[in-house]
Amino acid sequence: MHGDKAVSLLREIKRTRAIPPYNEDTIRQVVQEVQALYNDIHQTLNDPEVVANDPSVACGMIVQHTSILRNKRCVLAYLHARMLRVQQLRWELGPVLLEEFKEGLSHQEHQFFRSYNTHLNTYMKTLDVNLTTDMEPPKELFIEVRCLQDYGEYQTENGTVNLQENCQYFLPRADVEHLVRRGVLAHVHST
């Protein structure tokens, strides 16, 4: 059936909130299907006797053309959903792309991430505001965090801190929020 491969791309991206590995094989199959449909339409149009004598052939060409457009929309929706998730990674994890996410991205998506990161940083420098801090309105300026892994020395606005595994620190939220999102630190909620 026309469009099954393209629809499978959308089902794949809808199944998970994370970014699934880039499905180059299925995209290639969809492109081949589009090319085959286009060639069928082109061959039919080059045979004037078939088109002139049979209205069902014209209806078949319309179905083929509609299938081409549907495949195109499905692939574009798949790529757009992936692009939005790459942008979301930048906002949630910061400027460094973790290894676990790098493997599932295509080369173009890596380039997009770097470009998006550069443009976002330029914009934030222009405004002189860090838009990536305080993704939620802060309740306090300093938070208590527990270090989940040895991180080493880390520079805050108040000085240098040596972040060691299983130690707790009371640090400015703006300085450590991205480390909490990356999983280096865990916010210790007071009860």
Side-chain angles (χ1 to χ4, degrees):
M1 187 71 168
H2 297 303
D4 287 345
K5 295 288 184 186
V7 171
S8 73
L9 287 171
L10 295 178
R11 286 190 185 119
E12 174 186 312
I13 199 79
K14 187 177 180 182
R15 265 188 233 128
T16 178
R17 286 192 39 156
I19 301 178
Y22 184 72
N23 198 338
E24 188 173 349
D25 292 336
T26 305
I27 288 181
R28 187 176 295 117
Q29 291 171 2
V30 171
V31 169
Q32 290 171 348
E33 181 181 321
V34 166
Q35 190 64 42
L37 289 168
Y38 174 79
N39 289 338
D40 288 347
I41 293 171
H42 188 63
Q43 285 177 343
T44 303
L45 288 174
N46 285 336
D47 188 1
E49 292 178 15
V50 173
V51 174
N53 295 334
D54 192 1
S56 65
V57 172
C59 291
M61 286 192 319
I62 290 172
V63 168
Q64 289 173 324
H65 180 70
T66 305
S67 296
I68 289 172
L69 294 177
R70 181 172 186 231
N71 282 346
K72 177 181 160 184
R73 284 192 311 271
C74 289
V75 169
L76 288 174
Y78 173 77
L79 295 174
H80 184 258
R82 291 183 64 83
M83 180 189 71
L84 291 176
R85 291 183 186 182
V86 169
Q87 286 177 342
Q88 183 180 4
L89 280 178
R90 170 56 180 94
W91 286 96
E92 290 177 359
L93 301 177
V96 178
L97 195 57
L98 301 176
E99 287 298 322
E100 62 194 64
F101 296 111
K102 282 183 180 180
E103 295 171 4
L105 300 181
S106 69
H107 176 69
Q108 292 82 6
E109 289 169 330
H110 281 281
Q111 286 179 328
F112 175 76
F113 181 84
R114 286 191 298 272
S115 175
Y116 185 73
N117 187 36
T118 301
H119 291 303
L120 183 60
N121 287 336
T122 302
Y123 182 66
M124 288 189 298
K125 285 179 185 175
T126 303
L127 295 177
D128 196 27
V129 173
N130 187 353
L131 298 173
T132 59
T133 59
D134 297 330
M135 298 304 284
E136 297 175 11
K139 294 181 178 149
E140 60 271 340
L141 295 177
F142 284 78
I143 61 172
E144 189 173 355
V145 292
R146 177 180 294 118
C147 191
L148 302 176
Q149 60 190 353
D150 283 330
Y151 192 77
E153 290 190 359
Y154 180 70
Q155 184 68 37
T156 68
E157 64 184 29
N158 297 335
T160 303
V161 177
N162 189 17
L163 299 175
Q164 297 175 350
E165 186 174 5
N166 295 325
C167 292
Q168 288 190 199
Y169 303 92
F170 194 66
L171 298 170
R173 173 185 287 278
D175 289 342
V176 297
E177 186 172 16
H178 71 281
L179 292 177
V180 171
R181 286 193 304 251
R182 285 182 44 201
V184 174
L185 302 174
H187 185 184
V188 178
H189 299 284
S190 57
T191 55

